[in-house]
């Protein structure tokens, strides 16, 4: 259909869908991105250090800039640009507030790092099972 590119430390949780549109949109996902359960990321750009909440939808040609949180259940409309360092919520998604540096490290980085840790746990359990 088209390309899906993901950076490092990206976690795509259960039930999430990443998709694109034939010959029209690509899905580009940066580093340290967490995509929550049942979220839909469709033909858009997501920069580094982003948290997309459970059940959120990010539509074609939307652009989510770095250090941003998309709240659970939010709908980022087609072509919308989410400012860096902000939280977006609602249907359609609107900026609700700026993100503090503590929230960036306390939520966005913490969640991305936790999933790297969880992957390590899975690898060690799998290795033990194979011995």
């Amino acid at each position: 259909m088209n390309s899906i590119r993901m950076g490092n430390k990206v976690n795509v949780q259960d039930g999430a869908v990443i998709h694109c549109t034939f010959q029209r949109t690509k899905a580009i996902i940066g580093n340290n991105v967490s995509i929550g359960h049942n979220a839909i990321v469709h033909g858009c750009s997501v920069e580094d250090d982003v948290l997309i909440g459970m059940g959120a939808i990010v539509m074609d040609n939307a652009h989510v800039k770095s250090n941003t949180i998309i709240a659970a259940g939010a709908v980022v409309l087609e072509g919308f640009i989410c400012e860096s360092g902000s939280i977006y919520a609602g249907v359609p998604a609107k900026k609700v507030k700026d993100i503090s540096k503590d929230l960036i490290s306390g939520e966005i980085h913490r969640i991305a790092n936790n999933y790297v840790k969880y992957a390590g746990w899975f690898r060690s359990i799998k290795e033990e099972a194979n011995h």
Side-chain angles (χ1 to χ4, degrees):
M1 294 210 43
N2 215 321
S3 65
I4 297 172
R5 292 186 310 186
M6 290 187 197
N8 297 314
K9 289 175 39 178
V10 173
N11 72 85
V12 180
Q13 297 171 11
D14 299 329
V17 174
I18 301 171
H19 205 265
C20 42
T21 302
F22 181 67
Q23 296 182 341
R24 199 175 127 213
T25 61
K26 299 175 181 180
I28 301 168
I29 300 166
N31 301 311
N32 300 317
V33 174
S34 296
I35 300 172
H37 305 287
N38 295 318
I40 299 171
V41 175
H42 200 284
C44 59
S45 296
V46 178
E47 292 184 3
D48 298 343
D49 302 311
V50 169
L51 171 60
I52 298 174
M54 294 181 286
I57 300 171
V58 184
M59 296 298 298
D60 287 355
N61 296 311
H63 189 130
V64 180
K65 294 191 175 181
S66 293
N67 300 316
T68 298
I69 294 174
I70 306 300
V75 177
V76 178
L77 296 178
E78 183 172 357
F80 189 78
I81 298 172
C82 297
E83 295 175 24
S84 181
S86 303
I87 299 175
Y88 286 82
V91 179
K94 294 185 180 355
K95 181 178 175 178
V96 294
K97 68 180 187 176
D98 292 326
I99 296 178
S100 68
K101 290 190 187 288
D102 290 341
L103 196 54
I104 291 168
S105 64
E107 288 302 309
I108 296 173
H109 291 161
R110 179 186 60 80
I111 292 169
N113 289 330
N114 279 350
Y115 276 87
V116 170
K117 180 172 56 176
Y118 303 154
W121 292 348
F122 177 77
R123 273 192 292 281
S124 64
I125 291 169
K126 188 176 173 186
E127 287 171 7
E128 289 175 17
N130 289 331
H131 289 257

